[in-house]
Amino acid sequence: MIKVKKRKFLLLPGDGIGPEVVGEVKKIIQWFNKNKSLDFEIDEDLAGGASYDKYGTPITDEVFYKALECEAIILGAVGGPKWDDVEFSKKPERALLKLRKELKLFANLRPAICFKQLVDASTLKPEIVSGLDIMIVRELTGGIYFGEPRGIKPIDNGERKGINTHTYTTSEIQRVARVAFDLAKKRKNKVTSCEKSNVMEAGLLWKEEVQELHDKEFKDVELNHMLADNCAMQLLRNPKQFDVIVTDNLFGDMLSDQASMLTGSLGLLPSASLGAKNKDGKIRAMYEPIHGSAPDIAGQGLANPIATILSFAMALRYSLDLDKEADALEKAVQGVLDEGLRTKDILSKGMKQVSTSEMGSAIISKLQ
Ligand code: IPM
Ligand code: MG
């Protein structure tokens, strides 16, 4: 077999259940190295609260430079109540936001797919969610998350004022919309763009710029505009009307959490955060489950590693062009679900409960 060039993954397990779920990905990377003659190099380091506890900062410069240099980052989760009182600029979440912003990972792909084995795990009726396959493309480096001015300041009457600023430029909007249109072409060819153009100027600009890009370059893709509050409602009423949803940073944060619950569990959904192609055609990328650090269940083997494992499958697909391996891994996950193995979050009657590491190992034996 031909050995491919060594490619480095940086694993940042983070906090809470992060180390457990990323640990299962590590097992899978090692399996690919051994059995598929792939030669992935693994580096692992601290981020989030774990880094704050040791170094007083959510991400050290050293780790940040490693992130700049690796092929792809696999992140677990950061944060937890333990760091509630930490000063804002040092909170665990700042590690994540710094990586997104400084690596320019502007397009966040969050698929919401309802696995047929788990239709009953959704709180919605089976006919509403079965066969669901939506891709949310969230803008990740702009909008109110990063806009200036921001802060909390005292005002004259002795009160305080909290300020955040929602801004977008033409290029920020069009580069993420382009990702959405390109994805739609490989799917059902339909994009729904969401904003609040009825209330916010930046929302109106969003709508106009998406439309302009469409008319210039993507006339063959169906485009609809929808107000974000209506989108939240339609996601519950009739989610299968959507194919690709493109929206800003804050609406994308909320709509993707909402969409994820249509599928039954946050523990199943991966995400990819992608930057622009560089001159060698490479992209910077970070892959992470969309769930949080779930400190309440950390360290007990209760976490579902599937979202992180599927995030690794996205890394194989989008960063390494290893579609065959990604398909195999996704199929292995399906196979394990077919066999009735479930972590606690997706357990239902007649199914067998397994731990985090048993789930990881079962997926590996399906790969064999
Ligand atoms: C997400 C998370 C993050 C966000 C937090 C942890 C900063 O909710 O990735 O959706 O708000 O973007
Ligand atoms: Mg979120």
Side-chain angles (χ1 to χ4, degrees):
M1 257 185 252
I2 316 158
K3 281 252 176 199
V4 298
K5 175 173 130 268
K6 241 192 170 57
R7 295 183 272 198
K8 195 191 266 174
F9 283 106
L10 175 62
L11 306 185
L12 298 175
D15 308 318
I17 59 173
E20 290 165 80
V21 293
V22 171
E24 297 314 302
V25 166
K26 204 153 114 187
K27 273 161 55 180
I28 290 173
I29 297 177
Q30 282 155 352
W31 183 89
F32 272 108
N33 279 348
K34 199 161 143 227
N35 296 282
K36 289 281 169 199
S37 281
L38 294 174
D39 205 358
F40 297 133
E41 205 179 306
I42 306 177
D43 196 353
E44 187 172 335
D45 224 310
L46 299 179
S51 171
Y52 176 81
D53 287 348
K54 187 149 180 208
Y55 301 112
T57 171
I59 183 162
T60 62
D61 289 345
E62 196 196 331
V63 174
F64 182 71
Y65 289 122
K66 283 184 183 179
L68 280 175
E69 250 138 50
C70 68
E71 191 89 21
I73 306 163
I74 311 283
L75 185 121
V78 293
K82 182 176 174 198
W83 300 282
D84 274 354
D85 296 330
V86 171
E87 179 214 324
F88 206 78
S89 69
K90 297 213 152 73
K91 282 197 181 296
E93 290 79 3
R94 300 317 298 179
L96 190 58
L97 296 168
K98 175 169 175 173
L99 287 168
R100 289 174 179 173
K101 184 71 178 172
E102 311 251 326
L103 300 183
K104 302 190 174 64
L105 308 177
F106 62 86
N108 183 216
L109 278 44
R110 299 191 160 189
I113 295 167
C114 186
F115 292 109
K116 62 179 188 307
Q117 302 90 337
L118 296 174
V119 168
D120 293 328
S122 174
T123 48
L124 271 78
K125 294 194 192 102
E127 64 269 27
I128 303 288
V129 294
S130 74
L132 183 78
D133 180 356
I134 303 177
M135 177 68 87
I136 297 189
V137 180
R138 167 187 177 193
E139 199 291 325
L140 203 60
T141 53
I144 202 155
Y145 269 57
F146 295 100
E148 298 282 349
R150 64 184 299 158
I152 300 177
K153 62 173 193 190
I155 49 176
D156 292 346
N157 64 0
E159 293 183 21
R160 295 186 305 155
K161 190 175 189 174
I163 304 153
N164 290 93
T165 307
H166 179 59
T167 68
Y168 272 109
T169 61
T170 299
S171 57
E172 283 176 322
I173 297 167
Q174 293 198 346
R175 68 182 177 179
V176 72
R178 179 171 283 109
V179 171
F181 286 125
D182 279 333
L183 279 167
K185 281 177 150 179
K186 297 183 204 145
R187 299 168 46 98
K188 294 179 207 130
N189 212 34
K190 183 174 168 186
V191 170
T192 306
S193 169
C194 296
E195 27 58 19
K196 284 286 288 177
S197 55
N198 54 345
V199 180
M200 285 146 62
E201 283 81 358
L204 180 59
L205 183 78
W206 182 280
K207 181 176 175 181
E208 291 175 357
E209 298 296 356
V210 172
Q211 186 67 49
E212 193 198 273
L213 179 71
H214 171 269
D215 297 348
K216 257 194 338 226
E217 293 179 32
F218 296 98
K219 270 216 163 73
D220 46 336
V221 180
E222 183 186 339
L223 170 66
N224 300 296
H225 301 280
M226 195 178 271
L227 296 175
D229 52 345
N230 185 24
C231 180
M233 187 271 276
Q234 295 295 339
L235 273 172
L236 292 179
R237 197 183 73 87
N238 176 19
K240 281 188 260 179
Q241 71 184 282
F242 297 108
D243 178 23
V244 176
I245 294 175
V246 62
T247 190
D248 73 28
N249 205 342
L250 182 61
F251 293 142
D253 182 42
M254 304 200 301
L255 293 173
S256 63
D257 261 33
Q258 190 184 333
S260 75
M261 275 321 283
L262 303 173
T263 72
S265 169
L266 268 176
L268 296 171
L269 297 182
S271 80
S273 303
L274 309 176
K277 275 203 175 87
N278 70 14
K279 44 185 186 316
D280 317 319
K282 284 262 158 223
I283 47 165
R284 285 240 159 82
M286 175 158 74
Y287 300 86
E288 54 182 310
I290 90 155
H291 60 68
S293 60
D296 51 320
I297 60 162
Q300 302 167 45
L302 292 174
N304 187 343
I306 291 181
T308 316
I309 291 171
L310 292 177
S311 299
F312 177 64
M314 289 183 95
L316 293 173
R317 201 181 295 286
Y318 292 107
S319 282
L320 303 171
D321 285 324
L322 293 172
D323 285 305
K324 239 175 50 208
E325 284 75 5
D327 287 343
L329 186 52
E330 286 164 359
K331 234 177 97 200
V333 169
Q334 294 279 351
V336 167
L337 293 174
D338 278 337
E339 274 179 5
L341 303 189
R342 302 283 187 270
T343 43
K344 191 167 174 225
D345 55 313
I346 50 173
L347 188 64
S348 58
K349 243 189 42 226
M351 301 293 142
K352 180 169 186 276
Q353 187 177 341
V354 293
S355 69
T356 309
S357 72
E358 285 166 343
M359 181 57 97
S361 301
I363 290 168
I364 289 173
S365 37
K366 274 273 171 278
L367 278 171
Q368 315 276 9

